[in-house]
Amino acid sequence: NPGEATQSAQAASKALLKSEALLKYAQSIAHLGNWEYNYKSRTFWFSEELFNIFGLKFKEHNCSLVVFQSLVPDFDQLQARMAKVLKKRRFLDIEFMARRQSDNCDIYLHARAELTRNERGQASKLTGVVQDITDRKTIETERRELRERLARSKKMEALGLLAGGVAHDLNNVMLGIVSYPEFLLSRMKADDPLYEPLKKISESGQKAAATVEDLLTLARRGVTTTEVLDFNAVVKEYLQSPEFMKLKSIHTGVQFFSKLESTLLNLRGSALHLKKTVMNLVSNA
């Protein structure tokens, strides 16, 4: 019956269109496109979704090898990898990077394909699918960076524990170096020939104690000692220190001037660390 045949053909056509629409929608959701490469004509056939993945305008006709080559920065390397795999087996499963033409952004793709050979055993076509895995790669990169940051954090924690242990041991050693010169100076007149050498020993001990305090700070155990002080006095003390005198002797062509604010207010801080800061600023300048 011609009428029934026509209705059957229309129903089959309608079902095919619906099936194609569902397939197109599914590929769009999965960012998955299918393709085929013809070895004889050296041309690619791309599905519409694959055109979207590569940022190309959809065309019904084939894409030349030159077009695909322009989309893959490391095309020669990719081609060599593919040839090496297909020489051993019919199946291809690789990941590679491409450049989306619409916005010139790098994208990561996962390709799977199967090789078809003719009756003479020669490669005739390569049929497969490509999925955009850029989002997955981005997440993997972020996870890797987080793992690296965690590893660095643990390393710094271990370093802090080590620094804390060393600092506490040094504190015990520094106790005598700092306290005994202060004790002797308190019982000695300023004109005593040993007064200045002992004073230098005391100052050096205090600097070493400040370094130990830095180690404790690194270990997150120490608390910086602060006091109310006159910053002008800190600067003057540095300008009379052996470090400054040595600096002047090295840079003989440089003149040093100081202009201190007479109405400067007091501040709370670590005199040793502030003096070290002034020393570094002058030395660097």
Side-chain angles (χ1 to χ4, degrees), residues 5 74 203 282:
D74 300 324
E203 290 175 354
V282 175

Side-chain angles (χ1 to χ4, degrees), residues 175-188:
L175 183 62
I177 299 174
V178 174
S179 59
Y180 279 106
E182 289 179 351
F183 173 74
L184 293 172
L185 286 169
S186 67
R187 286 162 172 74
M188 190 179 291

Side-chain angles (χ1 to χ4, degrees), residues 4-46:
E4 290 180 0
T6 302
Q7 288 180 354
S8 178
Q10 289 176 346
S13 178
K14 188 176 180 180
L16 179 61
L17 290 172
K18 184 178 179 180
S19 177
E20 289 176 348
L22 288 172
L23 176 61
K24 180 180 175 182
Y25 183 59
Q27 287 191 346
S28 176
I29 293 174
H31 298 290
L32 182 75
N34 54 307
W35 57 279
E36 185 176 277
Y37 176 66
N38 188 303
Y39 280 85
K40 186 177 181 180
S41 63
R42 294 173 63 83
T43 56
F44 282 94
W45 173 87
F46 288 170

Side-chain angles (χ1 to χ4, degrees), residues 75-126:
F75 176 77
D76 292 339
Q77 185 179 354
L78 176 64
Q79 193 175 37
R81 283 171 59 198
M82 292 173 63
K84 187 176 180 180
V85 172
L86 293 173
K87 190 176 181 180
K88 297 179 180 179
R89 60 175 189 264
R90 290 173 51 197
F91 299 98
L92 187 70
D93 191 337
I94 57 172
E95 292 182 3
F96 63 98
M97 192 180 75
R99 187 156 294 142
R100 191 162 50 219
Q101 195 177 73
S102 56
D103 55 9
N104 206 34
C105 285
D106 290 336
I107 54 176
Y108 292 91
L109 305 175
H110 179 204
R112 295 174 64 92
E114 183 176 351
L115 180 66
T116 302
R117 299 182 183 275
N118 57 26
E119 60 276 4
R120 294 189 298 275
Q122 298 171 328
S124 60
K125 65 179 180 179
L126 194 61

